[in-house]
Amino acid sequence: MGAGEPVKLPAVTSIAKTLGAQMVCQKVVSEGQRRQIISELTDDKTAVECCWYYLRDHQMLVEPACGATLSFVYSGKVLECAKGNGPIIVVICGGATVDIDTLRGLVSDLGVDTKLDKIYPL
């Protein structure tokens, strides 16, 4: 967003591949300049951790790209952004690229604590 024009990344390196794009079109950049856009970044470990929290809370598997979105909710940042900005809609979808064994593998690879006793400030 800071460049003011489309910038091509060398690669999408996150495990949240379905969320990534190497480059957006000019229309997206223009809309981003015209509207108030709040951009948040998260890391792969946090995204996978939030997949586990969502599984715990809703008994539904979601892929890491969705976990990245969920990190915005579970961290409480969504509440900060909502103040004075009206409603915020968070779309939770995406389980096509994950099953429980894949998620367990990611948890193991990234060293995610599966005790699920960490409480996010909702």
Side-chain angles (χ1 to χ4, degrees):
M1 294 302 296
E5 62 185 15
V7 175
K8 186 172 183 178
L9 301 174
V12 175
T13 58
S14 171
I15 61 169
K17 299 266 185 241
T18 59
L19 187 64
Q22 280 186 277
M23 190 167 101
V24 298
C25 66
Q26 182 59 49
K27 175 79 172 163
V28 171
V29 174
S30 298
E31 287 298 312
Q33 292 169 335
R34 197 169 71 84
R35 302 174 186 272
Q36 180 185 1
I37 302 293
I38 300 167
S39 178
E40 292 288 333
L41 299 176
T42 193
D43 57 38
D44 286 341
K45 183 176 180 179
T46 302
V48 170
E49 182 179 57
C50 289
C51 290
W52 274 106
Y53 281 105
Y54 197 75
L55 178 62
R56 174 200 65 191
D57 295 343
H58 302 283
Q59 294 77 51
M60 178 186 271
L61 282 171
V62 293
E63 62 191 56
C66 185
T69 300
L70 286 167
S71 72
F72 181 68
V73 176
Y74 279 115
S75 70
K77 290 180 183 177
V78 69
L79 298 175
E80 295 170 29
C81 291
K83 290 178 185 173
N85 292 314
I88 294 177
I89 298 169
V90 179
V91 178
I92 304 301
C93 63
T97 66
V98 71
D99 58 35
I100 192 65
D101 292 330
T102 301
L103 193 55
R104 283 183 178 140
L106 291 169
V107 162
S108 177
D109 292 348
L110 296 170
V112 171
D113 180 7
T114 58
K115 292 179 185 151
L116 299 177
D117 55 0
K118 179 178 176 183
I119 303 299
Y120 280 97
L122 289 180

